[in-house]
Amino acid sequence: MPDLLLELRSEEIPARLQRKAAGDLKKLLTDALVEAGLTYEGAREYWTPRRLTLDIRGLNTRSADVREDRKGPSTSANEKAIEGFLRSAGLSDISQAHVHSDPKKGDFYVAHIVKPGRPTEEIVADVMPGIIRNFPWPKPMRSGAASAKPGSLRWVRPLQSIVCLFGPEHEETHVIPFEVDGIVASNITYGHRFHAPEAITVRRFADYIEKLEKAKVVLDAERRKQIIAADAANIAFANGLELVEDEALLEEVSGLVEWPQVLMGAFEEDYLAIPSEIIRLTIKTNQKCFVTRRPGEETLSNKFILVANIEAKDGGKEIVHGNGKVVRARLSDAKHFWTRDQGNLPDLETLEASAKKFDLDLNKPLDQRMAKLDALNVTFHAKLGTQSERVQRIRALAAELAKATGANPVLVDRAVVLAKADLRTEAVGEFPELQGLMGRKYALLQGEDASVAAAIEDHWKPQGPSDRLPADAVGLTVALADKLDTLVGFWAIDEKPTGSKDPYALRRAALGVVRVLLERKVRLNLFTAFQLHMASIERYRGIASVEEKVFSFSDVAQLPAKVLAFATDIGQLTMEMLGSEARRKVTLESADLLSFFHDRLKVYLRDLGARHDLIDAVLTPDADDLLMVARRVEALTAFITSEEGLNLLAGTKRATQLLAAEEKKGTAVAANVDPALLTLDAEKALYAAVTQASTEASAAIAGEDFRSAMEALAKLRGPVDQFFADVLVNDEDPAIRANRLALLGLIRSATGTVADFSKIAG
């Protein structure tokens, strides 16, 4: 079976685009070949900064013939129908058709059409120009005067040559000729831009990869990564250091070089006074270099590792020198940022009003930055106000959440006030990814409590399923308040995730809340929190003066119990400031946000191995204590596979299914069981058993002992079986029938306090 070798060589492709582009090329071509009727044994893509390569093995030499039987009209059809059939089938005369018979429909014409297969070379030459012209680059460019013409080729960087070879592994191959904007496919490629600029003639993939290697090009990106990682670790070890690994940087650097040469540079030790995170980001972002440290130490050394693309005659001395100059210049800037952030702002006298608003101490640099953030009215979102207004909302929310987390409210408030202050630092202005981390460092420098400093960094966490949670209760509280304010705020302005689009990372924020609640065992009634916080946002958005304080939780600390209900009117004390439409909106949007959290909870629990049917059995639309939902699912999972669990499932399903069927028919069901209408021993015994089981289960649930509740209900299996053996539910007497159905309703109500067993499979 012959193989196909394809190479598209261009000017340097941005490193971040290479892997995806090679995958896109593979998919586009293999899909086109399969659609044309070809098969292949395997395909693998390769990429370097200057080329995308595809190696397809075991490709057919031609596509298979396609036979199609096209049914035509009856043999007695009129002449026009027959003419239309001949045209559609490509026949010149009806004698070329075949007559088939059907016992019901009679005789009719059938055209046996055979479409001959096509040579693979022809198919490839036909599809490749379109693939190249329509390649899905995110930002293709045009180059040269000819590219100004409509329909000219656009490529990520100027396309320079195409290799397209086809043939068996051990025989001569030949070029598949096609042309794109004057670039004609051939068997000529080029190696390293400086070490081997001469043309290279290739025949097949094995020959191609071998000649590229001799021409100083490592084709396999994974191998380039291995070379860089191994050489970097070795050179660090030889200098008594260890490499600080960075997979993202390794991926990027491997896309910058075709012939990796690992070298070590250095900078002055004075710069080590800068936080290691700033040094690492400075060197990584500006020079794409790796940093090192002493084995077992957290702080960095003054040696860095760079990857060149050429073998320099001087052993790389000039390359190291040049990179060192740039690194030192960048570190000098970083040191300047770090120093200035610890000093006073020049306009302190203009910040006194802001300082008073947030109880800030203008003798402290981080407090000054928070005051500056307020004074500048830095916008968080056009519909949700400024960053400082958001901080005020989070303060009110965090004060309530502290009751659930057990955090010190004074430390929580201080952490909230300072959490966004580092947005006005120069270090974060240069490296936004350091937000939070720099706030912690500056907070410690000005003598803040360690929990406050940790919470400033941790209020962003967790930022993904594998990210760590905040370290203590203060950090948990601030992180919860920050994420809930984001979610409630964007729900209030109807900026929700849609399909695959989630520009504000709201799914990630909700998953972060779920993780905090479940992994740190925090009890929180989310729906109530949503309502109250959304009410404060709606009131803020509806008032005329933005200077008025936003609605605080402290204003409604003594709300009546009806506020907690899942209802349209969520309490006059909270909502009398809003119109009826606003009250309705708050309730509906809070319910919708709770449903969104249910979806995130399902994803989280399924990832932990929970069965989807058990989650659905426990999760009701108004369940807003996610920790209790998780505990119920955990208890149900452990219980349902036991003998008692099987008894409970079998004993209740028959009763609930029969009741549901009768309700669907419209059969009358008594509102309550009348003991006087229980005439048979089996129904009397079931009534007594249900009453006792309900009492025991309710007591167990009140104590949050879900397994004991299930064990109490499992005792119903015997009485239920005896009931169905001895009792005819659909008695001729309507009153007795309605009473017996009500008895089944008691079983459903009792088990429903634990789970909806009708949703459990099995």
Side-chain angles (χ1 to χ4, degrees), residues 60-188:
N60 299 115
T61 56
R62 63 181 296 113
S63 60
D65 295 344
V66 178
R67 175 177 175 135
E68 177 187 356
D69 291 338
R70 184 169 300 177
K71 185 178 178 181
S74 167
T75 54
S76 59
N78 59 46
E79 186 176 343
K80 286 189 176 181
I82 292 176
E83 288 178 357
F85 167 62
L86 292 176
R87 283 195 304 272
S88 66
L91 303 181
S92 58
D93 190 86
I94 196 62
S95 62
Q96 295 174 321
H98 298 261
V99 177
H100 288 211
S101 297
D102 185 281
K104 295 181 179 179
K105 298 181 180 179
D107 294 342
F108 58 91
Y109 291 112
V110 173
H112 299 313
I113 304 170
V114 177
K115 295 181 179 178
R118 300 168 62 200
T120 299
E121 296 95 320
E122 182 181 320
I123 294 172
V124 172
D126 186 42
V127 301
M128 275 309 304
I131 290 174
I132 294 173
R133 288 185 179 280
N134 300 302
F135 201 79
W137 294 112
K139 291 183 179 180
M141 65 179 289
R142 56 188 181 88
S143 60
S147 66
K149 298 178 181 178
S152 62
L153 175 65
R154 291 173 179 262
W155 198 247
V156 64
R157 296 293 184 269
L159 188 64
Q160 294 177 328
S161 67
I162 301 171
V163 171
C164 191
L165 293 170
F166 184 67
E169 184 177 1
H170 301 295
E171 298 178 18
E172 284 301 317
T173 58
H174 57 273
V175 174
I176 297 180
F178 64 87
E179 178 264 339
V180 180
D181 269 28
I183 303 172
V184 180
S186 69
N187 60 350
I188 303 295

Side-chain angles (χ1 to χ4, degrees), residues 5 7-9 50-51 53 161-163 186-191 196-202 208 211-212:
L5 169 63
E7 180 200 71
L8 305 178
R9 189 180 64 87
R50 300 174 63 215
R51 69 200 77 225
T53 300
S161 67
I162 301 171
V163 171
S186 69
N187 60 350
I188 303 295
T189 189
Y190 295 83
E198 302 83 9
I200 302 171
T201 303
V202 296
Y208 167 78
K211 288 182 176 178
L212 280 183

